[in-house]
Amino acid sequence: MNQDNNRHTMQIKETRIVLKNAGKINPMRIDDYTQAGGYEGLRKALQMKPTNVIDELMDAGLRGRGGAGFSTGMKQKFTSESCQRCPQRYVVVNADEGEPGTFKDRVIMEQDPHLYLEGTIIAAYAIQATKGFIYIRAEYYDSIKKTRKAIEDAYKAGFLGKNILGSGFDFDVEVKLGAGSYLCGEELTMLESLEGKRGNPRIKPPFPAEKGVFGMPTLVNNVETLANAPIIIANGKEWYRKLGTERSPGTKIFTISGQVNRPGYYELPLGVSLKQLIDLAGGMRKGRPFKAALLGGAAGTFVDASMLDEKMTYDNLREKGATLGSGAVIVMAEGDPVYDILHNCLRFFRHESCGKCVPCRVGTTQLVRQADQLKAPEGNKEDLLKQMVRESEIMAGTSLCPLGQSPILPLESAARYFKKELCNPV
Amino acid sequence: MSTHDIIKQFEPQQHNLLHILHALQDANPANYLTEEALEQTARHLGVTKSSVYGVARYYTMFSLKPRGKFIIRVCASAVCELLKVNEVIEALEEELQIKIGETTKDGTFTVEQSECLGQCQEAPSMMINDKVHNNLDRGRIRKILQEYRS
């Protein structure tokens, strides 16, 4: 058969809705944003009933873009309905992007900060929160600067503060900084950090919707998730649902890195394949054959070439034992050692474990030690690898937060696809 | 500004702690939190010194030891490793004659390893204070360090 017949995947193009202004407007100028249609979503939302805003986002099928893929509308509904006696409700924006290979939120914050700020105000209105915090990792200096400028200008323009656009709705927001902790990207841990404490995770339930920051009902949403809100409200759920798939509507910003010719960020409808994404990123570097990809970062899964044509949606990847996660795609070529990258992920977890749960504290250290032993000249490596996977299962079942629950993801998937290599690393 | 003046800018509430520590560390030319700074912060917030210490110890961006004028944070993450950050680290160690975690004798540079800096499209990457440097290799390292030295 002619090889061209195998090229059934057509070259795709980006669908930029979240990134429609990226690179086209000056992110430091609010006028640029409003002239591009900015804050129209907010105007429209403020004329709707808050519950209708939630319904619109729910019916649009928007799912959390931070990695969990939970229904955004549902999360807002829970938060708006919980604890009616509570004097305060909060919105917290998770801008603590730290998953290895992920930089989509940085791109939004650096290139179009008003978009996610507008989404934040809409979310606050939807759940009737009058106060919000944007928690940004402190290493993101440019994101912090641009977000602060956006907030300042939004106050002046009447999009923040008292009686926003004459609607009677009040909302204040401020930037809060992290200080170098991956774990603080986990929503409950983030709340501890926001309160000025060590980043140790909380026991859940209660979920933030019931008891969040300062003990009050809190909505925690990711930057990219919130950046979708103004677009959905402005254009309507039917329009939005035309993008992506039935269960994963809309677009996703994929950040592709590693052995491709044009690493970077690409906004695509959910449901494109890994192969299409790699082609869009200019194909494999130096024409080297594809070997593996790590999807979703360290708390993600390895896949091999058999997954190249699978649709990248939350559900399809989950069914195939993989993850979409934050949209990070780290591409490896033939000759690149999967062992080294897995080892890197395991070291990462060891470094970032807060030490609160014993299985995670001991387990993350133990896994690195065992990964070292895979390289030792003697011993039954297959048994050792099996034992590592078993231990990571125990960690997943006995740790409070996603950190201890994550090592199983890269470990088990690497063991599934690359057992031979892991048992005989170079 | 004195330690006291810096702290006074913040309302005495626990949730301001990270911001206070950032401000104090940034104001210190040796890029670290002194014992006196922690003590005054604790007093301002009405909490124990050990709890302030606990927070300062937890977050990797805070240091309790003097560091260089320029903090070099080299990304140690998967993408940078895949694209040979090890050679970058070697170059840094050779050029500066120090190991990761150490400070040059003249107090100019400290080299640290950092988790993913979110610059993976142009890996390998590092930051020097608030500035990002991408697409690193031996030659670039030499050039960048020269700029900071002069």
Side-chain angles (χ1 to χ4, degrees), chain B:
Chain B
M1 239 194 301
S2 74
T3 303
H4 179 73
D5 289 337
I6 293 166
I7 294 174
K8 238 180 30 194
Q9 294 174 301
F10 297 89
E11 295 280 316
Q13 283 163 329
Q14 173 86 31
H15 68 85
N16 284 326
L17 178 53
L18 266 63
H19 283 234
I20 296 173
L21 296 180
H22 273 301
L24 289 170
Q25 180 166 281
D26 290 348
N28 182 343
N31 264 312
Y32 80 111
L33 295 163
T34 60
E35 186 136 357
E36 188 222 345
L38 297 182
E39 216 169 273
Q40 286 199 31
T41 304
R43 209 173 308 133
H44 181 65
L45 298 179
V47 297
T48 60
K49 196 181 147 198
S50 67
S51 77
V52 172
Y53 176 84
V55 170
R57 269 296 272 117
Y58 177 88
Y59 295 93
T60 51
M61 286 180 85
F62 297 134
S63 175
L64 300 174
K65 282 189 315 211
R67 292 186 291 182
K69 184 173 157 204
F70 299 114
I71 312 290
I72 304 178
R73 296 192 173 89
V74 194
C75 183
S77 225
V79 182
C80 286
E81 169 153 356
L82 186 63
L83 300 176
K84 310 247 180 299
V85 76
N86 288 350
E87 289 174 15
V88 171
I89 293 171
E90 271 170 33
L92 277 169
E93 291 183 336
E94 272 170 36
E95 284 287 320
L96 299 172
Q97 291 293 308
I98 51 170
K99 295 267 169 231
I100 292 272
E102 295 177 351
T103 302
T104 53
K105 278 205 189 82
D106 64 358
T108 310
F109 297 100
T110 298
V111 184
E112 296 179 353
Q113 238 172 32
S114 163
E115 295 308 343
C116 187
L117 295 171
Q119 302 292 336
C120 326
Q121 82 285 9
E122 294 169 290
S125 307
M126 68 180 185
M127 293 183 79
I128 301 185
N129 291 354
D130 59 352
K131 209 169 160 355
V132 178
H133 299 274
N134 288 332
N135 290 319
L136 299 174
D137 55 31
R138 275 176 185 277
R140 292 242 321 130
I141 288 291
R142 215 163 294 142
K143 234 184 103 209
I144 293 165
L145 290 180
Q146 243 155 33
E147 280 166 29
Y148 281 86
R149 275 173 179 141
S150 56

Side-chain angles (χ1 to χ4, degrees), chain A residues 74-125:
Chain A
M74 201 76 90
K75 210 173 182 182
Q76 296 187 350
K77 193 167 150 52
F78 291 151
T79 318
S80 70
E81 287 174 356
S82 80
C83 187
Q84 296 306 318
R85 293 162 309 172
C86 288
Q88 183 64 269
R89 225 165 268 279
Y90 292 99
V91 172
V92 169
V93 182
N94 186 340
D96 192 44
E97 186 167 64
E99 189 63 54
T102 310
F103 48 97
K104 67 197 177 65
D105 296 336
R106 176 174 67 77
V107 172
I108 296 170
M109 291 188 279
E110 287 180 0
Q111 306 206 21
D112 202 9
H114 281 285
L115 178 65
Y116 89 100
L117 181 59
E118 183 183 354
T120 306
I121 307 167
I122 291 172
Y125 176 72

Side-chain angles (χ1 to χ4, degrees), chain A residues 281-396:
Chain A
M284 295 296 293
R285 197 173 275 180
K286 293 182 187 150
R288 287 168 66 188
F290 173 88
K291 177 182 181 180
L294 179 55
L295 304 181
T301 47
F302 286 95
V303 295
D304 73 355
S306 68
M307 294 285 287
L308 276 169
D309 291 318
E310 289 295 337
K311 272 182 188 294
M312 291 200 286
T313 67
Y314 294 101
D315 304 296
N316 186 47
L317 288 180
R318 193 169 300 154
E319 279 159 27
K320 303 284 171 355
T323 49
L324 180 67
S326 57
V329 176
I330 303 169
V331 178
M332 303 175 63
E334 214 52 76
D336 288 334
V338 167
Y339 171 87
D340 287 5
I341 301 306
L342 176 64
H343 199 284
N344 186 299
C345 294
L346 296 176
R347 290 198 310 274
F348 172 68
F349 290 126
R350 179 183 63 182
H351 182 255
E352 296 298 327
S353 173
C354 79
K356 177 167 174 163
C357 307
V358 176
C360 176
R361 181 176 72 221
V362 177
T364 49
T365 300
Q366 175 75 354
L367 287 175
V368 174
R369 210 176 288 154
Q370 287 166 320
D372 289 338
Q373 281 167 15
L374 286 173
K375 255 193 165 164
E378 65 283 313
N380 186 333
K381 305 297 169 55
E382 280 196 28
D383 281 357
L384 178 58
L385 189 59
K386 236 186 251 167
Q387 194 189 332
M388 289 171 73
V389 173
R390 176 77 191 117
E391 282 165 11
S392 67
E393 273 169 16
I394 295 169
M395 289 166 65

